[in-house]
Amino acid sequence: GAVVSQHPSWVICKSGTSVKIECRSLDFQATTMFWYRQFPKQSLMLMATSNEGSKATYEQGVEKDKFLINHASLTLSTLTVTSAHPEDSSFYICSARDEGQGVDGYTFGSGTRLTVV
Amino acid sequence: GQNIDQPTEMTATEGAIVQINCTYQTSGFNGLFWYQQHAGEAPTFLSYNVLDGLEEKGRFSSFLSRSKGYSYLLLKELQMKDSASYLCAVMDSNYQLIWGAGTKLIIKP
């Protein structure tokens, strides 16, 4: 089945620094990838839709200058949290869909636990 | 607005059956998903319903009624490893997934 690899699994960074999270589709090409954020005991919240070769589409309330998304190839999307603050601490998850597999191909990465101190 | 409702928490006994309900109101409908999420991990796909009726897959079954905006996930022969959060998500007219807050299922021996 479709596999999405996400790195790092967890990261601790100092307030004011930037953190990059990578999301790779390992055995399929993904023209679209999705970035979610999940706070404890809350639902997944879509942050942005990453489109290969074009600008990402951000959800309302998500600062595009703070959460930089780059989707330079059909297998890689990156999310950079710039000037991170403690309130950015959360679980970030990417997902992509292998359209050749139908709905079963909607796959998530393993997630990144970000802690900003 | 778009809304997905499911119970916050449920408790069941090992070996028993539990039904987790989900009601939704969304702009358009292109199917309903159920995902399982263990603490600290990403969600994993369980089922997808786009037509009314029951879909059975081993110990797990999922039901959909589009006219009622209602779905349920039925788990049979519960095992301790089934302790997890179960997320209901609806794909709207823009093919975006709208997520419920998840139901935390606690299995007791």
Side-chain angles (χ1 to χ4, degrees):
Chain A
V3 178
V4 172
S5 174
Q6 184 174 344
H7 294 281
S9 297
W10 59 271
V11 59
I12 301 173
C13 70
K14 290 185 177 181
S15 186
T17 61
S18 296
V19 173
K20 180 185 283 188
I21 303 170
E22 292 190 349
C23 182
R24 293 179 185 272
S25 56
L26 296 187
D27 50 1
F28 66 100
Q29 294 182 330
T31 55
T32 303
M33 290 186 177
F34 304 91
W35 287 97
Y36 292 89
R37 181 167 54 184
Q38 186 178 34
F39 292 105
K41 299 184 179 181
Q42 294 187 24
S43 179
L44 292 168
M45 296 298 296
L46 180 66
M47 298 176 65
T49 302
S50 170
N51 305 295
E52 187 270 333
S54 64
K55 292 183 178 180
T57 304
Y58 289 82
E59 296 300 302
Q60 192 173 9
V62 178
E63 301 174 58
K64 62 181 181 181
D65 293 331
K66 180 172 181 61
F67 298 99
L68 301 179
I69 292 174
N70 185 290
H71 194 154
S73 77
L74 287 171
T75 60
L76 174 65
S77 175
T78 61
L79 167 68
T80 301
V81 182
T82 63
S83 187
H85 288 94
E87 57 265 30
D88 298 323
S89 298
S90 185
F91 192 51
Y92 293 85
I93 310 174
C94 70
S95 74
R97 184 180 174 193
D98 181 356
E99 296 183 5
Q101 291 202 19
V103 296
D104 286 21
Y106 206 107
T107 306
F108 287 84
S110 55
T112 298
R113 175 75 59 190
L114 172 64
T115 302
V116 184
V117 298
Chain B
Q2 310 209 90
N3 196 46
I4 310 284
D5 286 318
Q6 52 181 131
T8 304
E9 187 174 297
M10 299 182 71
T11 302
T13 304
E14 188 177 17
I17 299 173
V18 71
Q19 177 175 310
I20 303 173
N21 296 324
C22 172
T23 58
Y24 63 89
Q25 291 178 309
T26 58
S27 55
F29 181 83
N30 279 302
L32 185 144
F33 295 77
W34 283 97
Y35 281 81
Q36 181 190 62
Q37 186 179 25
H38 285 99
E41 298 180 11
T44 55
F45 172 83
L46 289 178
S47 68
Y48 172 72
N49 294 66
V50 68
L51 299 176
D52 289 351
L54 186 68
E55 295 277 347
E56 297 185 74
K57 190 183 293 185
R59 293 189 299 114
F60 293 3
S61 303
S62 56
F63 171 84
L64 174 68
S65 170
R66 288 172 297 172
S67 62
K68 295 181 179 179
Y70 167 70
S71 173
Y72 67 73
L73 179 69
L74 191 70
L75 292 75
K76 302 177 183 177
E77 301 171 15
L78 286 171
Q79 301 175 10
M80 297 303 292
K81 67 178 182 179
D82 297 330
S83 293
S85 287
Y86 291 85
L87 308 176
C88 172
V90 172
M91 186 173 282
D92 67 9
S93 55
N94 295 318
Y95 295 94
Q96 299 271 34
L97 282 181
I98 310 300
W99 294 87
T103 298
K104 182 179 181 180
L105 178 62
I106 299 169
I107 310 295
K108 295 185 175 180

